DNA sequence: AATGCGGGGGA
DNA sequence: TCCCCAGCATT
């Protein structure tokens, strides 16, 4: 059974009062954040991409370094992919930055390096979805477009007592319709940011601070005492696990082998210590596998600390093996390189392999 | 409509 | 442990 959410909101909320309460609170209480220094569309854009599924505190240092390195849209467009990936190292969801650079290059070519103010042009850019489009339109261009993220769905589900499952893709549109009805036409930027800031600071997932809430008087869930029961969110299935061996293959010159991951999929185009699924190589044949693959004869294998790494959809268990090679030459494949310690900072590594790298360094220090 | 895609922090 | 986080692309 479905309620008519549109009517619900309209008859229940004093919209002008709600807008004023929210905006006044936001203007007064908003956090000082680097991307709030101005409304440069490029900076807003970068911040919005970084903030996807990522907390503000995590983003801040990345944003500052990124903008310092790529101050303008054109700086980013002309940078090398590897340099850009390196600037994103550790932030996760790396396709975000590859899409961002592709989009920025398109803006340089098609729109004279100006972020398009047209909604559809903006939405057509790689990596710019319904949320990011609305965020840029409202924050950078002051246009009254909805920008519905997880915060907004949580806040509005409580304000308007909406019981739709926010885990479902189709639910976002319901909230966009709600926002279209209640958004401030005169200050859509502060309104949208206010909803999100409220979700981050007051209307939190657990233990919301309703007594401090600037829009408490508008909140149906609070009136009903059911604020902790909203939003409704179905949970998802268990993760898969994969077991790997990874090898720190060090030659007599204290260099190691790195391999580049494929162009698509998990951790695309990132670098790692050579890794193989345990299914493919049983423990007793590791030495055979290595000597054959790298065309070497004299090696010593030393077990290091295993690593567990949890992704959003799967878990890696990685056995780390330190391989000291006595041979002069190592035969490597096309996607591999032999790297010195000094060169390491040029290679973007995912976090689990940064941990391997740290282990290797501490061994060398002994 | 469902799934793949990172990583960190809080309860 | 599980959940959550200023989501998007692909199928």
């Amino acid at each position: 059974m479905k309620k008519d959410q549109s009517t619900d909101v309209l008859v229940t909320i004093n919209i002008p009062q709600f807008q004023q309460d929210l905006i006044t609170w936001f203007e007064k209480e908003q956090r000082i954040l680097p991307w709030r220094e101005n409304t440069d569309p490029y900076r807003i854009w970068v911040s919005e991409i970084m903030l996807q599924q990522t907390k503000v505190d995590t983003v801040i240092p990345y944003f500052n370094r990124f903008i310092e390195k790529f101050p303008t849209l054109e700086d980013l467009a002309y940078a090398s992919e590897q340099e850009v990936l390196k600037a994103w190292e550790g932030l996760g969801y790396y396709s975000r930055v590859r899409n961002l650079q592709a989009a920025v290059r398109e803006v340089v070519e098609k729109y004279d390096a100006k972020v398009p103010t047209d909604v559809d042009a903006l939405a057509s850019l790689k990596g710019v979805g319904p949320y990011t489009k609305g965020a840029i339109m409202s924050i950078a261009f002051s246009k009254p477009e909805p920008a519905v993220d997880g915060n907004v769905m949580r806040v509005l589900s409580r304000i308007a007592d909406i019981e739709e499952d926010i885990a479902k893709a189709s639910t976002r549109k319901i909230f966009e319709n709600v926002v279209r009805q209640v958004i401030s036409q005169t200050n859509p930027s502060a309104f949208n940011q206010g909803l999100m800031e409220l979700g981050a600071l007051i209307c939190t997932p657990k233990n919301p601070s309703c007594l401090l809430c600037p829009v408490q008087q508008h909140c149906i869930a609070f009136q009903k005492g059911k604020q902790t029961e909203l939003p409704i969110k179905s949970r998802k299935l268990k993760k898969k696990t994969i077991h790997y061996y990874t090898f720190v293959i060090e030659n007599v010159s204290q260099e190691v082998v790195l391999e580049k991951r494929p162009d698509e999929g998990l951790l695309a185009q990132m670098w790692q210590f050579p890794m193989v699924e345990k299914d493919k190589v049983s423990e007793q044949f590791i030495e055979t596998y290595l000597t054959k693959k790298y065309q070497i004869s004299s090696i010593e294998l030393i077990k290091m600390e295993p690593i567990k790494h949890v992704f959003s959809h799967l878990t890696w268990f990685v056995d780390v093996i330190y391989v000291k090679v006595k041979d002069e030459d190592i035969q490597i494949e096309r996607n591999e390189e032999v790297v010195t310690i000094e060169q390491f900072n040029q290679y973007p590594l995912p976090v689990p392999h940064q941990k391997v790298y740290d282990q290797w360094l501490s061994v060398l220090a002994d």
Side-chain angles (χ1 to χ4, degrees), chain A residues 272-303:
Chain A
Q272 64 185 16
F273 294 92
M275 200 163 66
V276 61
E277 270 191 68
K278 277 190 165 182
D279 290 356
K280 312 280 184 187
V281 183
S282 64
E283 176 151 16
Q284 60 197 106
F285 290 123
I286 289 177
E287 183 160 352
T288 309
Y289 167 80
L290 290 173
T291 52
K292 185 172 180 193
K293 179 175 184 202
Y294 294 104
Q295 295 292 302
I296 50 185
S297 56
S298 177
I299 62 176
E300 178 187 0
L301 304 182
I302 304 168
K303 278 192 182 173

Side-chain angles (χ1 to χ4, degrees), chain A residues 218-230:
Chain A
H218 305 282
C219 185
I220 301 175
F222 180 74
Q223 289 162 18
K224 294 184 177 178
K226 59 182 284 194
Q227 64 271 20
T228 57
E229 296 166 38
L230 292 172

Side-chain angles (χ1 to χ4, degrees), chain A residues 183-199:
Chain A
I183 191 171
S184 164
Q185 302 292 312
T186 53
N187 198 345
S189 172
F191 182 89
N192 277 345
Q193 292 189 79
L195 282 181
M196 293 188 274
E197 196 81 345
L198 192 67

Side-chain angles (χ1 to χ4, degrees), chain A residues 66 70 76 79-88 97 101:
Chain A
F66 197 90
F70 314 110
L76 180 57
S80 78
E81 287 181 35
Q82 180 140 330
E83 196 180 5
V84 170
L85 207 47
K86 185 70 187 176
W88 208 268
V97 76
Q101 193 185 29

